[in-house]
Amino acid sequence: MKHSIITRLVMMFAASALIIFSLIGGVLYAVVKNELLRHERDGLVTTFNDIEYMVSRIGTVDRWARVQAKLDTLTPADGKVRFWVFSDDPRFSYGKDLAELHEFDYDPKNIGRLRIKGKEFPLHTLTKILPAYLDRPAIRLTVGVDTEPYFETLRTFVAAMIGLSLIGVFLVILFGYWIARTGLQPLKKMSDKAQTLSPKNLSERLTVSALPDELSDLAQAFNGALDRMENAYKQLEAFNADVAHELRTPLANLIGETQVALSRERSAPEFETVLQSNLEELDRLRSIINDMLFLARCDQGEAATSLVHTVIADEVQKTIEFFEFVLDEMEMSVEVTGDIEATSMIETALFRRALTNLLQNAIQHSPAGARIKVSIDAQNKDVQVAVSNPGEPIEQRHLPRLFDRFYRVDTARREVDGIHGHGLGLAIVKAIALMHGGTAFAASRSGITTIGFTVGGKAA
């Protein structure tokens, strides 16, 4: 069962108050009990000393009668104080029920507890053996004090403490509820404000300055989440627009060419030309869809699995050979520099795909006759592969977004000798780098643009 924060705080306040009151009550009970017992025993010792002083100086039968009369006078009617004198000579004995009370326990300090029939509470006793004196033999003097006032006082104190504790807990619950409700008011306002946020107004944020320190961090974290959500929402909108644009162009071409072909009778060679053109557009659509599916798998955390220990320079050279005809036609060249002995655990197909995208991007954005450089750099446990090409510089604000899907610095589409990009090449480079535990990076300065990625590995 779920409880609100206020309910939980009130329950914790009440539990804390109950524990504190119980501890205080227990300590006070022990102190009061010991003090009452001390006062009672002090009174018992005082009474005993008075009786002892009187009895110890009586040694004849005649004078003992005066002691018995004195003890009768000192014994109250309610029996709160009782006296007993045990003696082998019955003439020097005193007290009721001597036969029944002749044997009872008492500690080395002569303090004991005695229960008498008809009494709810026991008597605290003080006993002492008095030596023989004249005709009187040795006697045992016992003085008992009723403990009813002692136990009644303790019972009253316990009842009062329980009552006060319950009242205190109830007051703590009331004040705790008020304190919790007041203290959480800023959180309630923040919750109400958060509920007013909607996709129609993604730029709205929680006001942090009006919140207490304990909630300001939460509000800042929430605003940070809103910032990320706003950016993601904008990227999603841009992504949807880019996807629609990329798919619309080949579809429009397919529809247009098909409509033109059907507008009048065509010969077989003409229909073959139309079908060939349509096949190229369909192949472009398939490429876009396959790339999007590949990126979707990467987003789900798919990692490179078919890893082999490979010399990076060998894979770079094989990839460059794929562009041999394009490079010759545009009078371009590719130079491989750096640590050509570097090795790494890579999935070669994915590595070549990433490097192919980088080389294709460099060729598209380089002037004819340009010299493209592929550098390999072994850094600790990583191997860095970077492709640099001369061309128009890229503004710094564009660099962080080069690896976003369908993002282009120049919105105009460019095709070089059949090489056509659809805006997912660098996004795939970043995804492949992540699949190998690496990262992607880009820089542009002094007319040279460098884009590359890292993979886990080591120098040979």
Side-chain angles (χ1 to χ4, degrees), residues 30-266:
V31 172
V32 171
K33 180 180 178 180
N34 291 333
E35 285 299 309
L36 288 175
L37 184 61
R38 185 178 64 81
H39 283 292
E40 185 180 72
R41 289 185 175 179
D42 287 345
L44 177 61
V45 171
T46 300
T47 302
F48 185 89
N49 289 337
D50 292 340
I51 301 302
E52 179 188 12
Y53 180 80
M54 176 182 67
V55 171
S56 62
R57 285 165 173 72
I58 302 300
T60 62
V61 175
D62 295 339
R63 298 188 64 186
W64 187 257
R66 295 172 58 187
V67 170
Q68 292 177 333
K70 182 66 174 178
L71 294 177
D72 288 338
T73 303
L74 294 175
T75 302
D78 56 7
K80 297 293 184 182
V81 181
R82 300 285 296 274
F83 306 99
W84 292 276
V85 177
F86 300 90
S87 174
D88 294 336
D89 188 345
R91 294 177 302 170
F92 292 94
S93 298
Y94 177 82
K96 298 179 181 180
D97 306 320
L98 287 177
E100 298 180 8
L101 306 177
H102 190 272
E103 296 294 338
F104 63 93
D105 296 329
Y106 51 90
D107 60 24
K109 295 183 179 180
N110 301 321
I111 300 296
R113 178 173 290 189
L114 178 64
R115 285 194 171 273
I116 299 178
K117 292 181 180 180
K119 285 280 188 180
E120 181 180 358
F121 301 97
L123 276 69
H124 284 161
T125 63
L126 182 59
T127 301
K128 188 175 182 180
I129 304 297
L130 302 182
Y133 180 70
L134 298 179
D135 297 336
R136 174 180 60 78
I139 60 175
R140 186 178 70 184
L141 174 62
T142 299
V143 177
V145 177
D146 193 359
T147 58
E148 181 178 358
Y150 168 77
F151 285 106
E152 286 294 339
T153 301
L154 286 180
R155 183 181 297 173
T156 303
F157 174 79
V158 171
M161 281 299 303
I162 293 176
L164 291 174
S165 298
L166 293 178
I167 294 174
V169 171
F170 179 73
L171 292 176
V172 167
I173 291 175
L174 291 181
F175 283 108
Y177 177 81
W178 177 78
I179 291 172
R181 188 177 181 85
T182 303
L184 293 176
Q185 195 64 32
L187 185 60
K188 179 66 167 56
K189 293 180 180 178
M190 187 172 70
S191 176
D192 295 339
K193 180 68 175 178
Q195 291 178 0
T196 63
L197 302 177
S198 67
K200 296 180 180 179
N201 190 13
L202 291 174
S203 61
E204 190 171 356
R205 297 291 183 269
L206 298 177
T207 303
V208 179
S209 59
L211 295 175
D213 294 339
E214 292 78 5
L215 294 179
S216 61
D217 292 341
L218 176 62
Q220 290 175 356
F222 186 77
N223 286 341
L226 291 178
D227 291 336
R228 293 188 293 273
M229 186 179 358
E230 181 181 7
N231 293 333
Y233 192 82
K234 290 179 178 179
Q235 291 178 3
L236 180 60
E237 288 183 330
F239 175 76
N240 291 336
D242 289 332
V243 169
H245 180 85
E246 291 293 337
L247 296 179
R248 181 181 61 184
T249 301
L251 287 175
N253 293 338
L254 286 171
I255 294 172
E257 292 179 356
T258 303
Q259 288 175 341
V260 170
L262 295 176
S263 63
R264 61 182 177 85
E265 291 186 3
R266 303 284 181 179

Side-chain angles (χ1 to χ4, degrees), residues 372-385:
I372 299 173
K373 184 173 71 173
V374 179
S375 61
I376 304 172
D377 184 17
Q379 302 174 341
N380 297 327
K381 295 182 179 180
D382 295 332
V383 177
Q384 175 180 292
V385 179

Side-chain angles (χ1 to χ4, degrees), residues 319-334 359-364 366-370 372 415-420:
T319 307
I320 294 174
E321 291 175 359
F322 175 77
F323 291 92
E324 182 177 354
F325 295 106
V326 175
L327 292 171
D328 289 343
E329 184 173 345
M330 299 189 66
E331 298 181 353
M332 293 182 180
S333 62
V334 179
L359 288 173
Q360 177 180 324
N361 182 77
I363 293 172
Q364 288 181 9
S366 298
I372 299 173
E415 185 170 338
V416 180
D417 290 339
I419 300 177
H420 184 87

Side-chain angles (χ1 to χ4, degrees), residues 282-356:
L282 290 172
D283 188 63
R284 180 181 173 190
L285 284 174
R286 183 184 64 178
S287 176
I288 294 174
I289 293 172
N290 287 339
D291 287 345
M292 292 177 62
L293 290 174
F294 175 78
L295 291 173
R297 293 197 305 271
C298 294
D299 289 340
Q300 295 175 358
E302 182 174 323
T305 55
S306 303
L307 300 177
V308 292
H309 194 261
T310 307
V311 178
I312 299 298
D314 292 346
E315 296 302 319
V316 171
Q317 195 61 46
K318 293 176 183 178
T319 307
I320 294 174
E321 291 175 359
F322 175 77
F323 291 92
E324 182 177 354
F325 295 106
V326 175
L327 292 171
D328 289 343
E329 184 173 345
M330 299 189 66
E331 298 181 353
M332 293 182 180
S333 62
V334 179
E335 176 188 5
V336 180
T337 63
D339 191 351
I340 60 175
E341 300 294 331
T343 62
S344 178
M345 296 294 294
I346 61 172
E347 186 170 336
T348 56
L350 292 178
F351 180 86
R352 292 181 189 177
R353 184 176 184 179
L355 188 57
T356 297

